[in-house]
């Protein structure tokens, strides 16, 4: 695979319902940028962190909650500092936010162009924002299964911003997992094996939208069945850290492998991510809570354990850069960017060692 630098989407896409011309227009134009979101941030993030009343790191690996600041009032420097904090910590949470959908979009646009999802809802007022409402009439819910948003695109997502407008009395939590740490947990020899592999991503499952019996959703474009190639291990353009970039939702095949070989490797990698409870954070939503996460550095899963109650949210997804791998990049632990140390559990069974208590 050719190693290339970050390539980011630009504005100016045109969107229409499914036809070949619409698909051609939808494909994001790309150009090399000298500055990505967070590149102008203060490494200490003083503009942002000096303005908050409280910072709580929810786990050593990922997840930070900031109090006493409104996202609707951020300065340009605070937006840059926030982008860097999100990229380092994976996901950042806020409560009691007054930000409306227009302001949510403006915040996203300060980091890059917004994504138009291939599935549209007839009641959505904006193409580049999504409304999720799950209730007693719902047959499915958004966010099911471990995934990173829109990895099937040629230029996938950098950030996502989600605000909860209505929450169930209990349940409806979202869980995130660090894909920095998922890479670090692998043995050095296994990392060497997968670092130059390429995977095919697509969203062929979205074709089911064409047969929606309610008629409330439609498919904007059918090219979601066409696979885009992304490195299995990618480099984060802002932090420079290595990321394990496969997910159960959209990663379909390892290029150059037989189906049996690919299925076995993807099963191992996706199970590794899904079962690594020590590198996860779980967030209990309240009305007007906001989460901002880095879709490169995390995967997430939304729980549907609140039926028949209602969960109502609005989301914008920010496009990033075409994924690339830089062989000179380091992992989060290697770069000294982690606020934790690798526990012995991660390496003690290498070369046939057995799990269990060792005094």
């Amino acid at each position: 695979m050719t190693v290339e630098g970050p390539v980011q989407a630009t504005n100016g896409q045109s969107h229409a319902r499914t036809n070949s011309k619409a698909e051609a227009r939808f494909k994001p134009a790309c150009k090399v940028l000298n500055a990505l979101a967070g590149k102008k941030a203060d490494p200490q993030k003083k503009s942002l962190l000096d303005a908050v009343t409280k910072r709580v790191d929810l786990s050593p690996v990922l997840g930070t909650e900031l109090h006493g600041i409104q996202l609707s009032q951020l300065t340009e420097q605070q937006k840059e500092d926030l982008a860097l904090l999100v990229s380092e910590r994976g996901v950042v949470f806020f409560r009691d936010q007054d930000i409306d959908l227009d302001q949510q979009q403006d915040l996203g646009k300060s980091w890059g162009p917004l994504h138009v999802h291939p599935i549209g809802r007839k009641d959505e007022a904006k193409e580049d924002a999504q409304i999720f409402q799950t209730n007693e009439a719902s047959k499915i819910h958004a966010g099911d299964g471990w995934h990173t948003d829109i990895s099937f695109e040629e230029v996938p997502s950098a950030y996502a911003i989600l605000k909860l407008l209505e929450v169930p009395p209990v349940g409806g939590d979202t869980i995130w997992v660090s894909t920095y740490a998922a890479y670090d947990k692998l043995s050095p020899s296994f990392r060497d094996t997968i670092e130059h592999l390429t995977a095919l991503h697509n969203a062929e499952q979205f074709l089911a939208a064409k047969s929606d019996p309610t008629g409330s959703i439609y498919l904007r474009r059918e090219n979601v069945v066409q696979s885009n190639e992304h490195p299995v291990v990618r480099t984060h353009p802002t932090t420079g850290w290595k990321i394990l970039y496969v997910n159960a939702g959209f990663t379909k095949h390892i290029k150059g492998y037989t189906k049996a070989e690919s299925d076995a490797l993807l099963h191992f990698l996706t199970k590794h991510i899904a079962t690594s409870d020590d590198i996860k954070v779980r967030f209990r939503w309240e009305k007007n809570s906001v989460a901002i996460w880095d879709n490169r550095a995390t995967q997430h899963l939304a729980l549907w354990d609140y039926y028949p109650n209602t969960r109502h949210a609005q989301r914008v997804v920010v496009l990033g850069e075409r994924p690339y791998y830089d062989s000179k990049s380091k992992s989060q632990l290697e770069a000294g960017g982690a606020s934790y140390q690798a526990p012995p559990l991660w390496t003690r069974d290498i070369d046939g060692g057995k799990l269990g208590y060792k005094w």
Side-chain angles (χ1 to χ4, degrees), residues 281-297:
V281 67
R282 178 168 175 162
F283 186 64
R284 173 69 178 116
W285 295 95
E286 297 173 350
K287 183 178 180 180
N288 295 324
S289 294
V290 173
I292 304 176
W293 65 92
D294 191 315
N295 266 310
R296 300 158 294 194

Side-chain angles (χ1 to χ4, degrees), residues 117-138:
H117 202 276
I119 292 179
R121 292 174 56 97
K122 292 184 177 179
D123 59 353
E124 284 177 336
K126 300 172 181 285
E127 281 194 327
D128 53 2
Q130 285 188 286
I131 305 299
F132 302 112
Q133 184 158 326
T134 306
N135 53 38
E136 62 181 346
S138 301

Side-chain angles (χ1 to χ4, degrees), residues 43-324:
Q44 303 303 315
K45 308 166 203 69
K46 290 181 65 65
S47 176
L48 176 69
L49 297 181
D50 285 354
V52 305
T53 58
K54 186 178 181 181
R55 169 183 174 166
V56 180
D57 289 339
L58 301 180
S59 86
V61 180
L62 82 163
T64 293
E65 190 168 329
L66 298 182
H67 297 261
I69 194 168
Q70 287 293 334
L71 292 168
S72 61
Q73 304 298 320
L74 295 182
T75 66
E76 293 305 310
Q77 185 58 51
Q78 287 173 332
K79 292 175 185 178
E80 279 292 294
D81 289 355
L82 177 56
L84 179 57
L85 181 64
V86 172
S87 291
E88 290 177 346
R89 293 292 298 164
V91 56
V92 179
F93 305 103
F94 304 83
R95 298 192 185 274
D96 301 316
Q97 293 296 302
D98 62 10
I99 190 170
D100 61 27
L101 184 54
D102 288 336
Q103 293 168 326
Q104 195 172 332
Q105 289 180 294
D106 288 342
L107 176 58
K109 289 175 183 177
S110 71
W111 296 331
L114 303 185
H115 180 249
V116 175
H117 202 276
I119 292 179
R121 292 174 56 97
K122 292 184 177 179
D123 59 353
E124 284 177 336
K126 300 172 181 285
E127 281 194 327
D128 53 2
Q130 285 188 286
I131 305 299
F132 302 112
Q133 184 158 326
T134 306
N135 53 38
E136 62 181 346
S138 301
K139 303 298 182 184
I140 60 173
H141 83 111
D144 187 26
W146 286 106
H147 66 286
T148 183
D149 294 324
I150 67 165
S151 72
F152 56 87
E153 299 284 20
E154 180 184 5
V155 178
S157 169
Y159 303 101
I161 309 169
L162 182 70
K163 179 177 181 179
L164 265 288
L165 306 176
E166 182 179 355
V167 297
V170 65
D173 297 357
T174 303
I175 308 172
W176 283 263
V177 61
S178 170
T179 48
Y180 291 139
Y183 172 84
D184 266 320
K185 285 188 68 174
L186 297 171
S187 68
S189 294
F190 195 85
R191 291 181 220 155
D192 290 343
T193 300
I194 66 172
E195 278 191 354
H196 297 284
L197 296 178
T198 300
L200 306 180
H201 297 238
N202 69 50
E204 58 190 359
Q205 60 266 39
F206 288 168
L207 292 179
K210 294 195 299 183
S211 57
D212 172 38
T214 68
S216 62
I217 63 175
Y218 63 93
L219 191 68
R220 288 193 175 101
R221 52 194 167 97
E222 293 193 4
N223 68 345
V224 292
V225 301
Q226 299 171 4
S227 294
N228 281 301
E229 299 181 7
H230 300 314
V232 169
V233 177
R234 65 179 291 188
T235 300
H236 196 289
T238 305
T239 65
W241 302 335
K242 293 179 181 178
I243 295 162
L244 180 57
Y245 197 65
V246 298
N247 68 89
F250 302 119
T251 311
K252 308 298 184 180
H253 187 78
I254 303 296
K255 189 177 180 182
Y257 277 30
T258 67
K259 184 179 186 302
E261 293 166 343
S262 173
D263 288 351
L265 181 55
L266 286 177
H267 175 75
F268 170 78
L269 291 174
T270 54
K271 183 179 179 182
H272 167 68
I273 291 168
T275 59
S276 289
D277 295 335
D278 54 341
I279 59 171
K280 294 176 184 175
V281 67
R282 178 168 175 162
F283 186 64
R284 173 69 178 116
W285 295 95
E286 297 173 350
K287 183 178 180 180
N288 295 324
S289 294
V290 173
I292 304 176
W293 65 92
D294 191 315
N295 266 310
R296 300 158 294 194
T298 63
Q299 292 184 27
H300 59 282
L301 165 70
L303 299 176
W304 192 15
D305 55 355
Y306 49 89
Y307 182 86
N309 294 302
T310 297
R311 185 178 186 267
H312 184 197
Q314 60 192 31
R315 184 189 73 173
V316 298
V317 173
V318 183
L319 293 173
E321 65 291 331
R322 187 181 298 133
Y324 69 99

